[in-house]
Each structure stands twice: as structure tokens, then as C-alpha cells.
Amino acid sequence: MELVHVVYIGARAPERGEKAAAALGTRYVQLDVTDDESVNSALATVDSAEGRLDVLVHNAGVLGDGIGRPPQDSAAVLVRLATLGADGPTGTLRDENGEPPW
């Protein structure tokens, strides 16, 4: 039996996400975890291409400019990420019975 896995990297910025996916040998899907519509769209993209999502690693964060300065919108983004709570972006994930997968 051959084990196969498909890995997607989600990112808000398409150029950076596509570049990272190419460097890592993964696939890219546009995803902004602070936007429910973006989360639903990303899930639909993965579902359409793969038929299911087995594992989700949610590691949202905000990087600065590489020399210690945060991006201009970082305060708003950090507040939104901090207030998403346990039912944030993954709250839209449901199994075939409409239940969360955990």
C-alpha cells in the first residue's frame, strides 16, 4: 500500500502563499482566517480537489518586515486572531452529520 498525502498552505497574500507553497512542494489556497467567507472558500477549494480534509494545522500569525517592525495592520489582525476563540475559523468545519470533527 502506498501512502499518499497532499499538503496545502493557506495564506492571505497570493504571491507570498504561492511562493511558499512552491518552495515547500505543497499546494496553495488563499485563506484569511479572520474572514469567514475566506475560510469557507478555502474549505470548498480543498474539498473540491481532494474530497476531504483529514488534518488541519492552524498556525496563524503576523510577521513583521524582517527587521523588527510589525506590519501597519498588525494590531487589528492580532486582536481579531486573539478573539476568534475555539470556534473561530475551524468553527465552519463539520462532518457529514453537521458535527465538529473533535
Side-chain angles (χ1 to χ4, degrees):
M1 169 196 277
E2 180 182 358
L3 299 177
V4 178
H5 63 273
V6 177
V7 177
Y8 282 80
I9 185 168
R12 291 187 300 165
E15 263 185 40
R16 293 187 312 198
E18 289 168 356
K19 183 178 179 181
L24 296 169
T26 66
R27 297 180 185 179
Y28 166 73
V29 63
Q30 185 163 8
L31 174 61
D32 178 351
V33 299
T34 66
D35 178 356
D36 291 341
E37 191 172 309
S38 176
V39 172
N40 288 327
S41 177
L43 289 171
T45 297
V46 172
D47 186 53
S48 175
E50 311 303 331
R52 68 185 199 197
L53 175 64
D54 293 322
V55 177
L56 172 67
V57 177
H58 173 47
N59 188 24
V62 178
L63 296 178
D65 61 6
I67 56 174
R69 291 187 302 241
Q72 290 182 346
D73 67 345
S74 66
V77 172
L78 288 171
V79 167
R80 176 75 172 122
L81 289 173
T83 58
L84 283 171
D87 200 40
T90 56
T92 59
L93 296 175
R94 300 285 184 245
D95 65 16
E96 60 275 359
N97 298 317
E99 296 296 320
W102 47 88

